[in-house]
Amino acid sequence: MSAIMQLEPNIQTNTNLELGLDGVAWVFKALSDPARLKILRYLASDAVGCCGDGICGCDLEDITGLSQPTISHHMKCLLSANLIQAEKRGKWMYYNLDTRGFKAVQAYLEQCC
Amino acid sequence: MSAIMQLEPNIQTNTNLELGLDGVAWVFKALSDPARLKILRYLASDAVGCCGDGICGCDLEDITGLSQPTISHHMKCLLSANLIQAEKRGKWMYYNLDTRGFKAVQAYLEQCC
DNA sequence: TCCTTATATCGAAATGTATCGATATGTTAA
DNA sequence: TTAACATATCGATACATTTCGATATAAGGA
């Protein structure tokens, strides 16, 4: 599995939802950081963000207390795991949850429990 | 978050099932390795193991192709996340799934999706 | 008791990750 | 066009993780 820096898996939900253990592990790795969990939980909430029409990067600096480059890194990580979607509007990036990553790990977990 | 070597979280499912983001992240980290996912999936199957009465360490060396010390390390990691339970019988360690870790991450995921 | 086997721990090497400051890129507003 | 701002990338640092060989511990059997 390669580094997050030269990001790799944007693990396509190939033809179906099955992802293989490497792909599932990649999504779990994206979920294995408290700051990223905080970000995802915030995206899942009904918060509107500082611009009133979505959550952008500066909102996430506020709620995590992390620097802008660090947030950018975390969002790239979540994108590569298909846990979020990003859309550029003006100079802002707006983020939303992407169900594909969540479904992939839930499918694995259901095999176990 | 501390290293896995000087293992720390055996994150007690404190009083209830709520675990806090650090605790949940710790479980996700234990789930973020393909070898460990393979081990858990094997423990969830109806395989009986080489001794016929449960899955022990040597079974896991076979299915992962990893060395004995590496397996031992992975099992310690899964234990610390409450994803498995271990029981010593004779000179063997027998492993089973522990629902607590799974429930913790599933509870988090349900907040998101 | 001594040997064999299962597991755990230690030490080390290679690689991966989180974080930030500095800087580059791109977009809006003046 | 220029200034201000949001985001991305680079480079560096500190630390974490995976893996194995060597060795220790513990249990059973000859």
Side-chain angles (χ1 to χ4, degrees), chain A residues 16-102:
Chain A
N16 49 30
L17 293 169
E18 293 302 319
L19 213 50
L21 290 187
D22 283 0
V24 174
W26 184 266
V27 184
F28 277 130
K29 184 165 293 180
L31 288 164
S32 73
D33 181 279
R36 290 195 289 266
L37 294 185
K38 199 166 191 176
I39 289 170
L40 291 172
R41 196 177 56 179
Y42 187 68
L43 291 176
S45 75
D46 52 3
V48 289
C50 64
C51 306
D53 56 350
I55 308 302
C56 62
C58 42
D59 292 319
L60 303 175
E61 294 177 47
D62 290 343
I63 67 155
T64 60
L66 295 171
S67 70
Q68 181 272 321
T70 301
I71 293 293
S72 183
H73 158 74
H74 284 312
M75 301 319 276
K76 195 170 175 180
C77 175
L78 293 171
L79 271 171
S80 79
N82 290 332
L83 285 164
I84 61 169
Q85 290 176 318
E87 175 199 358
K88 184 156 194 169
R89 264 185 276 152
K91 50 184 172 180
W92 291 275
M93 290 291 295
Y94 288 89
Y95 298 105
N96 276 294
L97 296 184
D98 184 339
T99 57
R100 290 176 298 165
F102 290 95

Side-chain angles (χ1 to χ4, degrees), chain B residues 4-112:
Chain B
I4 262 177
M5 305 306 293
Q6 63 257 39
L7 266 184
E8 197 177 301
N10 197 316
I11 305 158
Q12 272 80 353
T13 311
N14 301 317
T15 43
N16 50 28
L17 293 169
E18 293 303 320
L19 214 50
L21 290 186
D22 284 0
V24 174
W26 184 265
V27 184
F28 277 130
K29 184 166 293 181
L31 289 165
S32 72
D33 181 278
R36 291 195 289 266
L37 294 186
K38 198 167 192 176
I39 289 170
L40 291 173
R41 197 177 54 179
Y42 187 69
L43 291 176
S45 75
D46 51 2
V48 290
C50 64
C51 306
D53 57 348
I55 308 302
C56 64
C58 41
D59 293 318
L60 304 175
E61 294 177 48
D62 291 343
I63 65 154
T64 61
L66 294 172
S67 71
Q68 181 273 320
T70 302
I71 293 293
S72 183
H73 158 75
H74 284 312
M75 302 318 276
K76 195 170 175 181
C77 175
L78 292 171
L79 271 170
S80 80
N82 289 332
L83 286 164
I84 61 169
Q85 290 177 319
E87 177 200 357
K88 184 156 194 168
R89 265 185 276 153
K91 50 183 170 180
W92 292 274
M93 289 293 295
Y94 288 90
Y95 298 105
N96 276 294
L97 295 184
D98 183 340
T99 57
R100 290 176 298 165
F102 290 94
K103 285 191 174 135
V105 293
Q106 279 166 330
Y108 173 85
L109 292 172
E110 277 162 23
Q111 292 185 323
C112 290

